[in-house]
Amino acid sequence: MGKKIIIDTDPGIDDILALLLALSASPEEVEVLLISLTFGNIEVKNCLRNAVSMFHIIEREMQWRRENGRPEGFGALRAHRPILAVGAEDPLEDQKLLADYFHGTDGLGGIHESHPHLTATKAWDHLFTPTADSEGIEPVADCTSLDDHEFIPSKLPAYQEILRALRDNEPDSVTLVAVGPLTNLALAAAEDPETFLRVKEVVVMGGAINTPGNVTPMGEFNAYADAVAAARVFALTSPNPHTTVPPTKGDRLPPYPKNLSRQLTLRLFPLDITLRHNISRGQFRKAITPLLEGGSPLAEWVDAFMGHTFRTLERLHPGHVGDDAELSLHDPVCVWYAITSDDPKWVYSAKSPEDIRIDTLGQWTRGMCVVDRRNRHRIEGDDESASDHGLWLSGRAGNRIWRMDGSPAEETFGAVIIDRLFK
């Protein structure tokens, strides 16, 4: 039986590649229980259209492969249909930031207008609309319009589906891969922290430690987009979450109970590692051309939004032109970890677990990953002192984050993506 995972995502170009990587795995490698959607790269309603369109394309691709004598692939998907749930539309407190300047207003470079024949056309949106009696209902599994589809729509908010999946499975059996803003996770943890802590580990794409941010000099997009949510999730790694949980502007989310049964295990994939996992336009073009000539629906779909991506990269990063333009595969790296976490070539930073905190209040530093670079002696106790403002030196305070710093496929990850998705 494969590893059970939940993917919380805001698809998004590299998010779609991450989802395809998970669904194309073998059932012995992974079982995708739930895909929960959040705002982030784009509005959540566009994330839903992209996710449904992805399943539409996968169905067409598997049919094309059968008709051409090729292996169907997507074993994990064929073995287990994941629930698809719609989540947070806005951050907990901050002004909303989207990344449509990079991904396009629809999240996939305008593909729904440029390639309408590749967009799902069935009436599916009402299947996700909450009703007055949605609380506690089962996901819609047997709707006539979805007889041939590969997902199960849910009318419940995504954070409630996350909690349901964790209740329905044994403790420490589900990995939650979060590759967007952490709003859904923060809502789930606030609703029922003990159930949330049944998770085996949370794998987070976010933050920047020793490299610049990508939306501000200090801020990486996911951490910046909902800094309060990120800080609250990070706080659950602490022996005493109250020492790092951020102050809030209102009463939307309650404080955590003082005596939680356990600490959260959080694997952080900041820009420091994800920027080392890339695919070049030349590498992609060489692999995709024969598949386009053969009529692969998946190749046509991915080529359409990747073409937009490489053109955007050329505009944003002068000097990276033509076949040398490279896309960093931020989100797929996290899914790859979830699939291959037993590989001893995954490497943590030498200081792990580290006390990494998310700044939520700074004018210029919102979303910044703050670490203590001072060479100071530890202080016993958990009471704040004049020499330890913020409890950075107390052994019973602060977060405990496992920061990833090396992988089995840094130099070859582009080839891994191509091989997994198309061969």
Side-chain angles (χ1 to χ4, degrees):
M1 179 180 293
K3 299 170 184 175
K4 297 180 179 182
I5 67 171
I6 297 168
I7 303 177
D8 190 76
T9 178
D10 55 338
I13 289 162
D14 57 327
D15 302 75
I16 287 291
L17 296 177
L19 290 170
L20 289 169
L21 178 61
L23 298 172
S24 64
S26 73
E28 292 75 28
E29 290 177 314
V30 73
E31 177 183 342
V32 183
L33 302 176
L34 167 67
I35 297 171
S36 55
L37 302 177
T38 178
F39 82 95
N41 291 320
I42 47 173
E43 300 284 0
V44 73
K45 63 181 181 180
N46 287 328
C47 293
L48 177 59
R49 178 167 62 167
N50 292 344
V52 173
S53 293
M54 176 193 69
F55 283 107
H56 170 68
I57 291 297
I58 290 174
E59 291 165 12
R60 291 181 55 183
E61 175 72 8
M62 289 193 294
Q63 179 181 354
W64 174 81
R65 291 181 184 184
R66 289 192 299 270
E67 292 173 351
N68 286 271
R70 297 169 177 258
E72 278 185 296
F74 296 98
L77 178 60
R78 287 186 286 113
H80 183 88
R81 291 197 300 168
I83 295 169
L84 182 62
V86 180
E89 297 181 2
D90 299 288
L92 296 179
E93 292 184 4
D94 300 313
Q95 181 179 359
K96 182 159 62 178
L97 171 77
L98 301 176
D100 48 6
Y101 66 91
F102 183 84
H103 295 267
T105 55
D106 69 354
L108 295 177
I111 195 170
H112 300 297
E113 291 186 4
S114 64
H115 294 70
H117 60 291
L118 299 179
T119 297
T121 57
K122 292 183 178 179
W124 44 261
D125 52 345
H126 71 283
L127 300 171
F128 299 89
T129 303
T131 59
D133 58 350
S134 291
E135 187 72 26
I137 65 172
E138 290 299 313
V140 180
D142 298 313
C143 179
T144 303
S145 65
L146 290 176
D147 280 347
D148 298 325
H149 284 270
E150 302 293 341
F151 64 89
I152 301 172
S154 173
K155 292 181 180 291
L156 290 179
Y159 79 90
Q160 292 184 8
E161 284 292 2
I162 291 172
L163 291 172
R164 191 214 300 263
L166 295 175
R167 289 190 193 102
D168 289 349
N169 289 275
E170 292 296 320
D172 296 316
S173 65
V174 177
T175 293
L176 205 171
V177 183
V179 293
L182 298 183
T183 316
N184 287 335
L185 278 67
L187 291 169
E191 173 94 357
D192 189 344
E194 288 293 350
T195 294
F196 186 77
L197 290 173
R198 290 168 63 94
V199 71
K200 177 182 179 181
E201 59 186 358
V202 173
V203 180
V204 172
M205 191 282 122
I209 309 299
N210 298 311
T211 194
N214 59 3
V215 292
T216 69
M218 298 295 183
E220 176 275 332
F221 176 83
N222 287 340
Y224 184 95
D226 196 339
V228 171
R232 285 185 62 95
V233 173
F234 279 34
L236 287 170
T237 69
S238 173
N240 292 289
H242 72 275
T243 63
T244 64
V245 76
T248 57
K249 300 174 184 176
D251 299 325
R252 181 174 181 183
L253 297 185
Y256 293 129
K258 289 186 177 180
N259 297 310
L260 291 170
S261 63
R262 60 193 297 185
Q263 296 166 231
L264 178 68
T265 299
L266 192 151
R267 318 286 184 193
L268 183 66
F269 283 74
L271 293 178
D272 308 58
I273 182 172
T274 62
L275 286 170
R276 304 200 300 262
H277 294 74
N278 304 295
I279 186 170
S280 72
R281 174 189 262 153
Q283 185 181 21
F284 177 76
R285 179 180 52 78
K286 182 178 179 180
I288 209 75
T289 298
L291 294 168
L292 291 172
E293 293 172 348
S296 161
L298 181 62
E300 183 183 2
W301 192 61
V302 174
D303 183 62
F305 64 73
M306 288 290 279
H308 161 86
T309 302
F310 287 122
R311 290 190 296 272
T312 302
L313 288 168
E314 286 183 327
R315 186 177 73 251
L316 295 176
H317 302 285
H320 293 273
V321 297
D323 281 354
D324 293 330
E326 285 190 326
L327 171 66
S328 293
L329 300 167
H330 305 287
D331 298 343
V333 178
C334 297
V335 168
W336 185 238
Y337 168 80
I339 296 173
T340 66
S341 58
D342 296 334
D343 192 322
K345 293 180 182 178
W346 286 106
V347 178
Y348 299 106
S349 72
K351 296 180 179 180
S352 288
E354 297 178 68
D355 186 1
I356 301 173
R357 310 187 193 182
I358 301 293
D359 182 32
T360 62
L361 299 176
Q363 179 181 3
W364 309 117
T365 55
R366 167 181 155 190
M368 175 184 178
C369 286
V370 182
V371 296
D372 190 353
R373 303 184 192 276
R374 301 171 297 174
N375 185 17
R376 300 281 298 278
H377 292 293
R378 286 283 178 186
I379 297 175
E380 293 300 321
D382 54 9
D383 294 326
E384 192 165 77
S385 68
S387 62
D388 185 26
H389 181 65
L391 292 173
W392 286 91
L393 302 176
S394 170
R396 293 197 290 271
N399 296 330
R400 305 288 190 270
I401 306 294
W402 292 89
R403 176 165 65 90
M404 307 306 299
D405 197 37
S407 86
E410 285 190 21
E411 301 298 324
T412 61
F413 195 55
V416 169
I417 290 289
I418 290 170
D419 184 68
R420 286 274 174 156
L421 268 56
F422 297 109
K423 295 182 180 178

